Amino acid sequence: MSDLDLLLSVAAIAIVLNGLLAGQQLGRWVLTALYALQFALLFSIAPGTDGAQSAVAFHLLDNPVGWQLSAFGWFFAMITIGIAGFCAAYAAGEWGATNAGSGLSMRWLYAGLQINVTAMLLLLSAGDLISLFIGWELTSWAGLILMLLGGGQALLAARRYIIYAIAGGMAIFAGLVMTAGATGSLQYAEVAAAIASVSTGTLWAITLLFVVGFAVKMAILPFHLWQPPAYAFSPGPASAFLGAISARMGLFAIGLVVLKLIGLDGFASLSLWRDVINLRDILLWAAAFTAILPTYVAMRQNDARLLLSWHGVGQGGYMLLGLMITDSLGSAGGLLHVFNYATYQAILLMAVFAVIHRTGTADLNRLGGLVARMPLTFLAMLIGIIGLAGLPPMNGFVSKWMVYRSLVTEGMPLLFVASVISTLGTVLSVYKLLHNTFLGQLRLEHEYVKEAPWSMTVPMMLLCTVVFVTGVMPGLVLGYIADAQAAIGLTPVAFVLGGIESKAGSLDMIWITGVLFAGFGIGAILFYLMGGRTKRVHQLDNYAGGHFLTADVRYQYSDNFYAGLMHRIRPWYRGTFEWAESALVSAVGAASSAARGFFEQANPALWVLVGTTLIVTWVMWHALG
Amino acid sequence: MSDNELVNQQFPVKVEQPGGSGNIFARVFDELTAFCRSRSLFILHYCTGCGAIELPPAMTSRFDMERLGISPMVSPRQADILLITGYVSVKTLKRVILTYEQMGSPKYVIGICSCTVNGGMYWQSYATAKKLNDYMPVDLYIAGCMPRPEAVITGLRQLMENIRRGEANGWQDYYQRYDHYLGHQQRLFGETWQTPTDVIAEAKHYGLFSNETLGEHTKLLQQHQKPLEALEMRLGLDSKDKVEP
């Protein structure tokens, strides 16, 4: 039994344990510890050695099927298990007790989480295209368990999700069949070797089928509509887990198939109109638009969960953008963004669900001023949005810097501008999130709100530490990324503990953070040591143009945030993709009712006779002519 | 003491005290602090009347008060100067006083136009407060109907000079003789008048509590004062409050 088998067995047994133990609070803490065990087991696996090779192998229709964890999959697996552990801890204490009391099945939630982790581990350690497909389908259906738990809106979202997921799965299956036909194998190495001899037309078809299938999971435009509601309306920890890592399985698969199997040369050969546009450009621009449009849709949301989930779509665009630059710096930036994004998206969703836990709402028009009641949750969200907005010293800055830098040095100025526009939207909308939830006027009904319990704040604070530490010392993560890059045939990034040290550009976050804190430090010394005093005032001792404030009067408005900007940009994207989706639904509906109409004819025999006569006539015409 | 004598009375010049912070360097930097303070002033414009029209030219490129280190500010908490440009009606005056009390010390008041000095052309109006310095200490008046931007700039330069010499101490007077100002305010607004700010506590905070801070008027205030409604801003971590079920 290899190390990988041990990990997968523990993960599989853990599903059963989750179903048994999650009912009690103590059991939930034991299950959290179980994730720590899986994390430790993962770290005992050295990718590329015998330990990473599963002993389980069998043949399916003469094709060998097996599992082997590469450094690329290991990197994603590390994030998956880590985030799942934090989510399990978050729900273990008061959150679980309260929500179990209101009818949410903790057994299903915890088992669902572990099923997701196990399915993802199977996907990430897939050793060939068949096991990849098995893992892919398991992951898709596992996600559905968590979405269905939410009830209400979540059910509609889950239905939409499963339609998209099945369509994506079909595309991947078709790609699989075509690959087998064109290369005669489904093993990574053999496919990669045979791909050079595949005709361009077939290669186009294979690549498009795979990319579309994986892009559905990744929610790349125009396949993104399912994701925000499906992730947003899952129960708290499930939403944090799905939002943080689930969609990145698409990026993993794209990286594996496009970069490792089809290869950079094969990929570059896919071009249109005498090499004016190639598939890489199309993917880059799809990624860029995915980074921009959902970000501005996020800005429009009034539900904090939806706002964050729309950002999930947008940040996925960043990751694909980075990976598809395919140079060492950019692809490392894209992969680093997977890690970074997972950490702060989990924090942000945890903070939002902590607010929901205390106030019962995530409506950004019904909150405000909570910083005075929930300071730790505020701090968590603050650190999270600094990360999401990509500002130093948090880790989001490093990955975004790498993508920017790489776009500039690789000669893609328009894409650079596009990513900057996306970041602008991110900064604006995360400010809306923080402002409407925590700043401004505290509402009368939230007078007695308390800070979230420690079982929820401690996981948030620990993740904040991760965000900060990996922001100051990105080298801690970049080591794993360099290995992952090597595993899919990219040039590993040259890194140091503080960041990047290469010809393409240098970044030392230790210095940047030092200078930043020196600036704050000088300010703090001037203020606190030279007589600066602070005074806490009553909320109604506030300036509203000299108006005398009372508690029942709203003097701070959060509705229709960024009205001016929205007025300018709304016509550009209003409902475009909803329109496209409903047109597709209508077309399918029309075709199926036409088919049904045919079979429900009172006398179909007549039509069969007419059809047959026409065909016979046509055949005879040709035979005689 | 009649009103006239009050107007003519020179405010006693007092050196700002360190306030018992035990900072042994406090006096060493007094001149430097005063100089720096005079070169970085933010104005909150409380534009009540026609004099406001003279401020845009004073602010913008022609007279450009920013070259003196003076620029506009949007909230009283960050502002140094409260600029009142014209007549103050009884209703407006309440807002002006609230705004003044919300400013952090040291703070300075400039009254622009004759209306703030003596009611000006509204002298006979039943609804206009005649003399601003009855209700709050005014550091500088810029008289005229209306004063030209040159006069505004000259006035601002005079205030800067007063601050640099440590003579613009009207704000201390408000704490030291709060009872006097509150008396005038109560005369106009009635004895139930109150603002959300706590001037007496601030007087103690700044070490400016004197035997004229309290008096019959503050006694009246404490009699009629209603506590502010819920929603006091404080950290909720050590919450001893009841929690909603």
Side-chain angles (χ1 to χ4, degrees), chain B residues 1-72:
Chain B
M1 197 182 283
S2 77
D3 286 348
N4 262 342
E5 286 169 1
L6 266 176
V7 174
N8 298 333
Q9 183 186 6
Q10 188 78 23
F11 294 132
V13 176
K14 289 173 186 145
V15 179
E16 191 183 339
Q17 296 298 314
S21 66
N23 184 354
I24 53 167
F25 296 111
R27 298 292 296 278
V28 178
F29 296 112
D30 267 7
E31 280 194 21
L32 178 66
T33 311
F35 174 79
C36 295
R37 208 170 260 171
S38 73
R39 309 300 286 194
S40 167
L41 295 169
F42 288 96
I43 298 187
L44 182 73
H45 306 86
Y46 209 102
C47 295
T48 59
C50 37
I53 203 68
E54 300 299 330
L55 288 171
M59 246 183 274
T60 49
S61 56
R62 182 155 180 207
F63 295 99
D64 190 15
M65 67 189 186
E66 197 161 346
R67 72 202 149 93
L68 305 175
I70 300 173
S71 62

Side-chain angles (χ1 to χ4, degrees), chain A residues 28-109:
Chain A
R28 291 196 288 271
W29 285 112
V30 172
L31 296 174
T32 307
L34 210 52
Y35 282 108
L37 174 67
Q38 293 173 55
F39 202 64
L41 285 176
L42 182 72
F43 270 80
S44 73
I45 298 175
T49 62
D50 284 344
Q53 173 84 49
S54 170
V56 180
F58 55 91
H59 279 69
L60 188 72
L61 303 176
D62 293 338
N63 285 297
V65 180
W67 281 267
Q68 184 177 18
L69 192 61
S70 69
F72 190 56
W74 191 97
F75 173 67
F76 285 84
M78 186 251 297
I79 304 171
T80 305
I81 298 178
I83 292 295
F86 280 109
C87 293
Y90 179 83
E94 195 182 310
W95 193 92
T98 312
N99 284 275
S102 59
L104 180 67
S105 165
M106 282 299 126
R107 291 171 195 276
W108 271 110
L109 180 72

Side-chain angles (χ1 to χ4, degrees), chain A residues 372 535 538 541-543 546, chain B residues 77 95 102 202 229 234 236:
Chain A
K535 186 180 72 161
H538 192 280
D541 182 3
N542 207 334
Y543 186 60
Chain B
R77 301 268 185 230
R95 272 78 187 159
Q102 283 176 337
E202 273 182 52
E229 298 161 75
R234 49 158 175 66

Side-chain angles (χ1 to χ4, degrees), chain A residues 369 371-373 375-376 440 442-448 450-451 529-531 533-552, chain B residues 18-19 21 23 29 44 46 74-77 94-95 98-99 102 193-197 202 205-206 228-237 239 241-244:
Chain A
V371 59
R373 295 291 179 271
L376 282 178
L442 184 66
R443 285 180 171 253
L444 205 53
E445 62 264 33
H446 299 149
E447 165 67 358
Y448 297 112
K450 283 208 306 183
E451 176 60 277
L529 295 188
M530 301 189 73
R533 282 172 243 160
T534 55
K535 186 180 72 161
R536 195 172 284 280
V537 298
H538 192 280
Q539 177 163 327
L540 299 181
D541 182 3
N542 207 334
Y543 186 60
H547 189 69
F548 283 77
L549 298 168
T550 49
D552 55 328
Chain B
S21 66
N23 184 354
F29 296 112
L44 182 73
Y46 209 102
V74 291
S75 89
R77 301 268 185 230
K94 289 181 182 174
R95 272 78 187 159
L98 171 65
T99 308
Q102 283 176 337
W193 158 255
Q194 75 170 85
T195 54
T197 51
E202 273 182 52
H205 175 82
Y206 286 112
L228 284 178
E229 298 161 75
L231 307 176
E232 188 195 351
M233 298 296 275
R234 49 158 175 66
L235 291 183
L237 275 178
S239 182
D241 311 302
K242 63 177 193 276
V243 178
E244 274 181 327

Side-chain angles (χ1 to χ4, degrees), chain A residues 324-396:
Chain A
M324 282 299 128
I325 303 171
T326 64
D327 69 330
S328 73
L329 188 63
S331 58
L335 291 176
L336 183 59
H337 206 58
V338 176
F339 177 87
N340 295 349
Y341 174 77
T343 51
Y344 53 66
Q345 177 78 341
I347 296 174
L348 288 170
L349 281 166
M350 283 177 181
V352 165
F353 279 98
V355 169
I356 294 176
H357 182 66
R358 284 303 191 210
T359 66
T361 182
D363 188 340
L364 291 175
N365 290 337
R366 295 184 181 282
L367 294 166
L370 285 174
V371 59
R373 295 291 179 271
M374 308 177 74
L376 282 178
T377 313
F378 166 76
L379 183 68
M381 186 183 276
L382 180 69
I383 290 176
I385 70 163
I386 294 175
L388 183 55
L391 304 174
M394 302 309 164
N395 59 11

